[in-house]
Amino acid sequence: AMASLEEHFEATIERDQRIEPRDWVPEGYRKTMIRQIAQHAHSEIIGMQPEGNWITRAPSLRRKAILLAKVQDEAGHGLYLYSAAATLGADRADLTDKLITGRQKYSSIFNYPTLTFADVGVIGWLVDGAAICNQVPLCRSSYGPYARAMIRICKEESFHQRQGYELLMTMMRGTPQQREMVQEAVNRWWWPSLMMFGPPDADSPNTAQSMAWKVKRHTNDELRQRFVDMSVPQAEALGVTFPDPDLKWNAERGHYDFGPVDWDEFKNVLKGNGPCNASRIAHRRRAHEEGAWVREAAVAHAGKKERK
Ligand code: FAQ
Protein backbone atom coordinates (compact mmCIF):
# COMPACT_ATOMS: atom_id res chain seq x y z
CA ALA A 1 0.00 0.00 0.00
CA MET A 2 2.89 2.32 0.90
CA ALA A 3 4.45 1.80 -2.53
CA SER A 4 1.23 2.67 -4.30
CA LEU A 5 0.75 5.82 -2.20
CA GLU A 6 4.25 6.90 -3.02
CA GLU A 7 3.74 6.08 -6.70
CA HIS A 8 0.53 8.10 -6.70
CA PHE A 9 2.37 11.07 -5.17
CA GLU A 10 5.24 10.86 -7.68
CA ALA A 11 2.82 10.49 -10.59
CA THR A 12 0.80 13.53 -9.47
CA ILE A 13 3.98 15.64 -9.42
CA GLU A 14 5.08 14.14 -12.73
CA ARG A 15 1.78 15.07 -14.42
CA ASP A 16 2.06 18.62 -13.05
CA GLN A 17 -1.11 18.19 -11.02
CA ARG A 18 -1.61 19.63 -7.54
CA ILE A 19 -1.12 17.78 -4.28
CA GLU A 20 -4.16 18.37 -2.04
CA PRO A 21 -4.60 18.08 1.76
CA ARG A 22 -6.36 14.67 1.41
CA ASP A 23 -3.36 13.17 -0.44
CA TRP A 24 -0.65 11.09 1.14
CA VAL A 25 2.72 12.88 1.02
CA PRO A 26 6.21 11.78 2.05
CA GLU A 27 7.27 13.17 5.43
CA GLY A 28 10.06 15.22 3.79
CA TYR A 29 7.55 16.95 1.50
CA ARG A 30 5.28 17.79 4.44
CA LYS A 31 8.25 19.16 6.39
CA THR A 32 9.61 21.26 3.56
CA MET A 33 6.18 22.70 2.72
CA ILE A 34 5.47 23.60 6.36
CA ARG A 35 8.96 25.13 6.62
CA GLN A 36 8.57 27.28 3.53
CA ILE A 37 4.93 28.29 4.12
CA ALA A 38 5.58 29.11 7.80
CA GLN A 39 8.63 31.17 6.92
CA HIS A 40 6.60 32.96 4.29
CA ALA A 41 3.70 33.62 6.72
CA HIS A 42 6.06 34.91 9.40
CA SER A 43 7.66 37.23 6.81
CA GLU A 44 4.30 38.79 5.99
CA ILE A 45 3.50 39.35 9.67
CA ILE A 46 6.94 40.66 10.67
CA GLY A 47 6.96 42.57 7.36
CA MET A 48 4.15 44.78 8.67
CA GLN A 49 6.54 46.44 11.12
CA PRO A 50 9.01 48.37 8.90
CA GLU A 51 6.23 50.16 7.02
CA GLY A 52 3.89 50.27 10.00
CA ASN A 53 6.53 52.54 11.50
CA TRP A 54 5.42 55.29 9.07
CA ILE A 55 1.62 55.06 9.27
CA THR A 56 1.29 57.79 11.90
CA ARG A 57 3.78 60.01 10.07
CA ALA A 58 2.60 59.65 6.45
CA PRO A 59 2.79 63.09 4.79
CA SER A 60 -0.85 63.24 3.62
CA LEU A 61 -4.21 61.59 4.19
CA ARG A 62 -3.93 59.90 0.78
CA ARG A 63 -0.52 58.40 1.56
CA LYS A 64 -1.75 57.29 4.95
CA ALA A 65 -4.82 55.53 3.51
CA ILE A 66 -2.67 53.73 0.93
CA LEU A 67 -0.08 52.65 3.48
CA LEU A 68 -2.72 51.46 5.93
CA ALA A 69 -4.32 49.35 3.19
CA LYS A 70 -0.98 47.83 2.22
CA VAL A 71 -0.03 46.88 5.75
CA GLN A 72 -3.48 45.35 6.29
CA ASP A 73 -3.02 43.30 3.11
CA GLU A 74 0.19 41.90 4.59
CA ALA A 75 -1.71 40.73 7.68
CA GLY A 76 -4.20 39.05 5.35
CA HIS A 77 -1.40 37.30 3.46
CA GLY A 78 0.01 36.00 6.73
CA LEU A 79 -3.40 34.59 7.64
CA TYR A 80 -3.97 32.78 4.31
CA LEU A 81 -0.50 31.30 4.63
CA TYR A 82 -0.99 30.10 8.23
CA SER A 83 -4.22 28.47 7.02
CA ALA A 84 -2.35 26.77 4.17
CA ALA A 85 0.20 25.46 6.70
CA ALA A 86 -2.67 24.17 8.86
CA THR A 87 -3.85 21.94 5.97
CA LEU A 88 -0.53 20.09 6.37
CA GLY A 89 -1.18 19.48 10.07
CA ALA A 90 0.75 22.47 11.44
CA ASP A 91 -0.78 24.21 14.46
CA ARG A 92 -0.99 28.00 14.22
CA ALA A 93 -0.24 28.60 17.92
CA ASP A 94 2.80 26.37 17.62
CA LEU A 95 4.04 28.28 14.54
CA THR A 96 3.68 31.61 16.37
CA ASP A 97 5.54 30.16 19.33
CA LYS A 98 8.37 29.03 17.04
CA LEU A 99 8.56 32.52 15.54
CA ILE A 100 8.75 34.40 18.84
CA THR A 101 11.30 31.99 20.28
CA GLY A 102 13.52 32.26 17.19
CA ARG A 103 13.08 28.62 16.11
CA GLN A 104 11.59 29.49 12.71
CA LYS A 105 12.92 32.02 10.24
CA TYR A 106 11.36 34.97 8.46
CA SER A 107 12.83 36.91 5.55
CA SER A 108 16.15 38.65 6.23
CA ILE A 109 14.86 41.83 4.53
CA PHE A 110 12.63 42.82 7.44
CA ASN A 111 15.58 43.19 9.79
CA TYR A 112 16.58 46.52 8.27
CA PRO A 113 15.25 49.87 9.56
CA THR A 114 12.98 52.33 7.69
CA LEU A 115 14.75 55.64 8.26
CA THR A 116 12.82 58.02 5.96
CA PHE A 117 9.47 58.11 4.15
CA ALA A 118 11.32 57.27 0.91
CA ASP A 119 11.85 53.82 2.44
CA VAL A 120 8.11 53.19 2.11
CA GLY A 121 8.40 53.78 -1.63
CA VAL A 122 11.56 51.73 -1.99
CA ILE A 123 10.09 48.80 -0.06
CA GLY A 124 7.11 48.83 -2.41
CA TRP A 125 9.28 49.04 -5.51
CA LEU A 126 12.17 46.73 -4.65
CA VAL A 127 10.98 44.49 -1.79
CA ASP A 128 7.52 43.85 -3.22
CA GLY A 129 9.12 43.69 -6.67
CA ALA A 130 11.45 40.93 -5.47
CA ALA A 131 8.55 39.21 -3.71
CA ILE A 132 6.51 39.18 -6.95
CA CYS A 133 9.46 37.86 -8.94
CA ASN A 134 9.84 35.02 -6.43
CA GLN A 135 6.11 34.34 -5.95
CA VAL A 136 4.64 34.40 -9.47
CA PRO A 137 6.28 31.01 -10.21
CA LEU A 138 4.98 29.75 -6.84
CA CYS A 139 1.42 30.07 -8.23
CA ARG A 140 2.39 26.80 -10.00
CA SER A 141 3.87 25.23 -6.88
CA SER A 142 2.87 21.58 -6.45
CA TYR A 143 0.98 22.08 -3.17
CA GLY A 144 -2.55 23.20 -4.10
CA PRO A 145 -3.49 25.37 -1.08
CA TYR A 146 -0.14 27.21 -1.26
CA ALA A 147 -0.32 27.74 -5.02
CA ARG A 148 -3.87 29.09 -4.79
CA ALA A 149 -3.01 31.44 -1.91
CA MET A 150 -0.15 32.73 -4.06
CA ILE A 151 -2.50 33.84 -6.87
CA ARG A 152 -4.36 36.31 -4.67
CA ILE A 153 -1.20 37.36 -2.86
CA CYS A 154 0.54 38.19 -6.15
CA LYS A 155 -2.37 40.35 -7.29
CA GLU A 156 -2.16 42.36 -4.08
CA GLU A 157 1.65 42.53 -4.27
CA SER A 158 1.46 44.11 -7.70
CA PHE A 159 -0.72 46.90 -6.27
CA HIS A 160 1.90 47.28 -3.51
CA GLN A 161 4.70 47.48 -6.03
CA ARG A 162 2.95 50.15 -8.07
CA GLN A 163 2.13 52.29 -5.05
CA GLY A 164 5.82 52.25 -4.15
CA TYR A 165 6.98 53.16 -7.64
CA GLU A 166 4.35 55.92 -7.92
CA LEU A 167 5.40 57.33 -4.53
CA LEU A 168 9.03 57.44 -5.71
CA MET A 169 8.11 59.07 -9.04
CA THR A 170 6.31 61.78 -7.08
CA MET A 171 9.31 62.34 -4.82
CA MET A 172 11.65 62.43 -7.84
CA ARG A 173 9.55 65.32 -9.23
CA GLY A 174 10.04 67.16 -5.93
CA THR A 175 12.95 69.07 -4.40
CA PRO A 176 16.64 68.13 -4.70
CA GLN A 177 16.45 66.98 -1.06
CA GLN A 178 13.56 64.65 -1.88
CA ARG A 179 15.46 63.18 -4.83
CA GLU A 180 18.46 62.66 -2.57
CA MET A 181 16.26 60.94 -0.03
CA VAL A 182 15.09 58.47 -2.69
CA GLN A 183 18.64 57.72 -3.88
CA GLU A 184 19.83 57.25 -0.31
CA ALA A 185 17.02 54.78 0.42
CA VAL A 186 17.76 52.88 -2.82
CA ASN A 187 21.42 52.63 -1.76
CA ARG A 188 20.42 51.00 1.53
CA TRP A 189 17.81 48.55 0.17
CA TRP A 190 19.37 47.31 -3.09
CA TRP A 191 21.73 44.66 -1.71
CA PRO A 192 19.36 43.36 1.00
CA SER A 193 16.69 42.99 -1.76
CA LEU A 194 19.04 40.72 -3.73
CA MET A 195 19.52 38.62 -0.58
CA MET A 196 15.77 37.93 -0.39
CA PHE A 197 16.20 35.27 -3.10
CA GLY A 198 18.30 33.15 -0.73
CA PRO A 199 21.87 31.87 -0.89
CA PRO A 200 23.61 31.16 -4.21
CA ASP A 201 22.52 27.86 -5.77
CA ALA A 202 25.79 26.17 -4.83
CA ASP A 203 25.08 26.91 -1.13
CA SER A 204 21.33 26.29 -1.16
CA PRO A 205 20.69 22.99 0.62
CA ASN A 206 16.96 22.87 -0.19
CA THR A 207 16.78 23.86 -3.86
CA ALA A 208 17.47 20.49 -5.54
CA GLN A 209 14.78 18.59 -3.63
CA SER A 210 12.27 21.46 -3.82
CA MET A 211 12.77 21.68 -7.60
CA ALA A 212 12.30 17.91 -7.94
CA TRP A 213 9.02 18.17 -5.99
CA LYS A 214 8.07 21.25 -8.04
CA VAL A 215 7.67 23.24 -4.84
CA LYS A 216 10.14 25.70 -6.38
CA ARG A 217 10.08 26.26 -10.15
CA HIS A 218 13.33 28.22 -10.49
CA THR A 219 16.55 28.36 -8.52
CA ASN A 220 17.54 31.25 -6.25
CA ASP A 221 20.17 32.54 -8.70
CA GLU A 222 17.79 32.37 -11.69
CA LEU A 223 15.22 34.52 -9.89
CA ARG A 224 17.85 36.95 -8.58
CA GLN A 225 19.09 37.49 -12.16
CA ARG A 226 15.53 38.00 -13.40
CA PHE A 227 15.00 40.63 -10.69
CA VAL A 228 18.20 42.51 -11.57
CA ASP A 229 17.26 42.48 -15.27
CA MET A 230 13.80 43.91 -14.64
CA SER A 231 14.95 46.50 -12.06
CA VAL A 232 17.68 48.24 -14.09
CA PRO A 233 15.33 49.85 -16.67
CA GLN A 234 12.93 50.81 -13.86
CA ALA A 235 15.79 52.59 -12.04
CA GLU A 236 16.68 54.42 -15.27
CA ALA A 237 13.08 55.56 -15.76
CA LEU A 238 13.00 56.78 -12.18
CA GLY A 239 16.37 58.55 -12.38
CA VAL A 240 18.24 56.65 -9.66
CA THR A 241 21.28 54.36 -9.73
CA PHE A 242 22.08 51.13 -7.89
CA PRO A 243 25.14 51.08 -5.60
CA ASP A 244 27.03 48.52 -7.70
CA PRO A 245 29.98 49.58 -9.90
CA ASP A 246 29.97 46.15 -11.59
CA LEU A 247 26.38 46.41 -12.79
CA LYS A 248 26.43 46.39 -16.61
CA TRP A 249 24.70 44.84 -19.61
CA ASN A 250 26.35 41.69 -20.91
CA ALA A 251 25.26 41.30 -24.52
CA GLU A 252 26.71 37.81 -24.76
CA ARG A 253 24.67 36.50 -21.84
CA GLY A 254 21.68 38.70 -22.59
CA HIS A 255 21.60 39.69 -18.91
CA TYR A 256 23.02 42.34 -16.60
CA ASP A 257 26.21 41.33 -14.78
CA PHE A 258 26.30 42.42 -11.15
CA GLY A 259 28.86 42.55 -8.36
CA PRO A 260 29.22 40.05 -5.50
CA VAL A 261 26.54 39.97 -2.80
CA ASP A 262 27.92 40.19 0.75
CA TRP A 263 26.90 36.71 1.93
CA ASP A 264 28.60 37.26 5.29
CA GLU A 265 26.12 40.03 5.98
CA PHE A 266 23.25 37.70 4.96
CA LYS A 267 24.47 34.91 7.29
CA ASN A 268 24.90 37.38 10.09
CA VAL A 269 21.32 38.64 9.70
CA LEU A 270 20.05 35.03 9.65
CA LYS A 271 21.91 34.40 12.89
CA GLY A 272 19.90 37.19 14.51
CA ASN A 273 22.48 39.95 14.32
CA GLY A 274 20.86 42.29 11.80
CA PRO A 275 20.09 45.87 12.85
CA CYS A 276 16.46 45.12 13.83
CA ASN A 277 16.20 41.35 14.55
CA ALA A 278 15.81 41.79 18.30
CA SER A 279 13.27 44.61 18.10
CA ARG A 280 11.15 42.85 15.43
CA ILE A 281 10.82 39.72 17.58
CA ALA A 282 10.30 41.69 20.80
CA HIS A 283 7.50 43.68 19.15
CA ARG A 284 5.81 40.54 17.82
CA ARG A 285 6.11 38.84 21.20
CA ARG A 286 4.58 41.83 22.99
CA ALA A 287 1.66 41.96 20.53
CA HIS A 288 1.08 38.23 21.06
CA GLU A 289 1.09 38.58 24.84
CA GLU A 290 -1.18 41.61 24.75
CA GLY A 291 -3.63 39.64 22.60
CA ALA A 292 -3.82 36.73 25.05
CA TRP A 293 -7.11 37.98 26.55
CA VAL A 294 -8.77 37.92 23.11
CA ARG A 295 -7.80 34.29 22.56
CA GLU A 296 -8.90 33.35 26.09
CA ALA A 297 -12.24 35.12 25.63
CA ALA A 298 -12.83 33.33 22.31
CA VAL A 299 -12.13 29.93 23.88
CA ALA A 300 -14.40 30.72 26.87
CA HIS A 301 -17.17 31.83 24.52
CA ALA A 302 -16.86 28.67 22.41
CA GLY A 303 -16.98 26.57 25.61
CA LYS A 304 -20.16 28.32 26.82
CA LYS A 305 -21.87 27.80 23.48
CA GLU A 306 -20.97 24.12 23.50
CA ARG A 307 -22.40 23.62 27.03
CA LYS A 308 -25.70 25.23 25.90
N1 FAQ B 1 15.79 35.29 4.68
O1 FAQ B 1 18.12 26.17 0.74
P1 FAQ B 1 17.60 27.56 0.66
C1 FAQ B 1 7.13 39.11 1.64
C2 FAQ B 1 16.99 30.32 4.53
S1 FAQ B 1 8.40 38.45 0.69
C3 FAQ B 1 15.80 34.38 5.67
O2 FAQ B 1 17.81 28.29 -0.60
P2 FAQ B 1 14.73 27.49 0.19
C4 FAQ B 1 6.22 40.14 1.02
C5 FAQ B 1 16.09 29.16 4.11
O3 FAQ B 1 14.84 29.24 4.76
C6 FAQ B 1 9.45 37.48 1.78
N2 FAQ B 1 16.10 33.09 5.47
O4 FAQ B 1 16.05 27.57 1.10
C7 FAQ B 1 6.24 41.44 1.73
C8 FAQ B 1 16.93 27.98 4.55
O5 FAQ B 1 16.84 27.83 5.98
P3 FAQ B 1 16.11 26.55 6.68
C9 FAQ B 1 8.94 36.11 2.06
C10 FAQ B 1 16.40 32.70 4.22
O6 FAQ B 1 13.57 27.44 1.11
C11 FAQ B 1 6.81 42.54 1.11
C12 FAQ B 1 18.35 28.45 4.29
O7 FAQ B 1 18.29 29.87 4.28
N3 FAQ B 1 8.86 35.31 0.88
O8 FAQ B 1 7.05 38.73 2.75
C13 FAQ B 1 16.39 33.59 3.14
O9 FAQ B 1 14.85 26.42 -0.83
C14 FAQ B 1 6.86 43.78 1.75
C15 FAQ B 1 18.91 27.91 3.00
O10 FAQ B 1 18.22 28.45 1.85
C16 FAQ B 1 8.96 33.96 0.91
O11 FAQ B 1 9.14 33.37 1.95
C17 FAQ B 1 16.08 34.93 3.40
N4 FAQ B 1 16.06 35.87 2.44
O12 FAQ B 1 14.72 28.89 -0.60
C18 FAQ B 1 5.71 41.59 3.01
C19 FAQ B 1 8.80 33.27 -0.42
N5 FAQ B 1 16.74 32.90 2.03
O13 FAQ B 1 14.64 26.78 6.48
C20 FAQ B 1 5.77 42.82 3.66
C21 FAQ B 1 8.71 31.77 -0.31
C22 FAQ B 1 16.96 31.63 2.41
O14 FAQ B 1 16.59 25.33 5.94
C23 FAQ B 1 6.35 43.92 3.02
N6 FAQ B 1 9.96 31.14 -0.02
N7 FAQ B 1 16.77 31.51 3.72
O15 FAQ B 1 16.52 26.63 8.12
C24 FAQ B 1 10.88 30.78 -0.95
O16 FAQ B 1 10.71 30.98 -2.14
C25 FAQ B 1 12.13 30.06 -0.49
O17 FAQ B 1 11.87 29.56 0.81
C26 FAQ B 1 13.41 30.92 -0.50
C27 FAQ B 1 14.57 30.11 0.09
C28 FAQ B 1 13.76 31.30 -1.93
C29 FAQ B 1 13.23 32.19 0.35
Side-chain angles (χ1 to χ4, degrees):
M2 197 66 179
S4 71
L5 286 171
E6 190 136 18
E7 276 162 22
H8 179 74
F9 170 81
E10 295 293 344
T12 306
I13 302 273
E14 184 59 38
R15 285 194 302 267
D16 249 331
Q17 287 172 345
R18 301 283 91 88
I19 303 292
E20 295 299 338
R22 60 167 186 267
D23 295 332
W24 179 90
V25 297
E27 221 22 58
Y29 182 88
R30 183 183 306 283
K31 265 197 165 153
T32 217
M33 280 321 308
I34 291 177
R35 178 183 65 77
Q36 179 166 329
I37 298 173
Q39 180 187 306
H40 195 165
H42 297 330
S43 302
E44 298 282 357
I45 297 299
I46 295 285
M48 296 168 75
Q49 292 183 38
E51 291 160 288
N53 182 37
W54 282 94
I55 290 172
T56 57
R57 291 174 292 160
S60 69
L61 181 60
R62 177 170 174 269
R63 291 292 169 200
K64 186 171 178 143
I66 294 170
L67 186 55
L68 204 51
K70 180 187 193 283
V71 173
Q72 283 180 340
D73 284 351
E74 284 153 8
H77 297 173
L79 297 183
Y80 321 146
L81 289 164
Y82 285 128
S83 298
T87 67
L88 288 153
D91 173 60
R92 166 122 172 249
D94 178 53
L95 297 180
T96 300
D97 192 59
K98 286 188 168 127
L99 170 65
I100 63 181
T101 54
R103 286 176 296 147
Q104 257 170 4
K105 296 188 172 80
Y106 59 90
S107 182
S108 52
I109 193 76
F110 303 117
N111 292 306
Y112 294 86
T114 42
L115 304 179
T116 74
F117 195 69
D119 290 34
V120 170
V122 173
I123 288 177
W125 173 35
L126 295 179
V127 176
D128 286 281
I132 293 167
C133 200
N134 166 266
Q135 288 166 30
V136 165
L138 293 175
C139 297
R140 296 184 296 118
S141 188
S142 58
Y143 190 58
Y146 186 51
R148 290 188 291 273
M150 231 23 75
I151 294 171
R152 174 156 174 191
I153 290 178
C154 284
K155 285 183 180 157
E156 294 179 348
E157 302 286 29
S158 40
F159 153 65
H160 296 170
Q161 206 255 356
R162 278 167 163 270
Q163 72 80 34
Y165 198 72
E166 190 264 350
L167 190 167
L168 297 177
M169 295 249 272
T170 305
M171 284 187 83
M172 291 303 284
R173 285 193 301 267
T175 64
Q177 288 89 332
Q178 285 174 310
R179 280 194 289 279
E180 224 169 84
M181 221 189 247
V182 173
Q183 181 62 60
E184 191 271 335
V186 169
N187 293 348
R188 283 184 288 108
W189 290 96
W190 174 245
W191 291 108
S193 299
L194 296 190
M195 295 174 195
M196 287 176 71
F197 295 92
D201 294 350
D203 303 321
S204 165
N206 300 304
T207 293
Q209 182 57 261
S210 288
M211 296 278 285
W213 278 329
K214 300 183 183 172
V215 170
K216 284 167 83 163
R217 295 294 187 150
H218 303 281
T219 71
N220 300 354
D221 286 330
E222 283 166 10
L223 292 172
R224 189 168 13 250
Q225 180 73 62
R226 185 179 288 185
F227 176 68
V228 170
D229 290 347
M230 72 186 216
S231 298
V232 173
Q234 293 172 0
E236 281 166 6
L238 196 58
V240 296
T241 57
F242 291 129
D244 178 358
D246 299 322
L247 186 63
K248 61 171 183 298
W249 179 249
N250 182 328
E252 220 166 277
R253 291 201 310 125
H255 292 288
Y256 283 92
D257 288 337
F258 54 99
V261 176
D262 183 352
W263 294 112
D264 288 337
E265 175 181 327
F266 174 74
K267 283 181 203 146
N268 204 38
V269 171
L270 257 58
K271 267 194 244 152
N273 303 324
C276 301
N277 295 59
S279 70
R280 299 295 185 230
I281 291 293
H283 187 89
R284 182 68 195 88
R285 177 195 288 274
R286 190 164 62 242
H288 185 65
E289 284 164 2
E290 285 172 0
W293 69 273
V294 178
R295 296 187 295 276
E296 283 159 18
V299 170
H301 179 70
K304 250 191 212 165
K305 260 189 134 173
E306 210 169 290
R307 281 194 299 277
K308 268 189 201 160

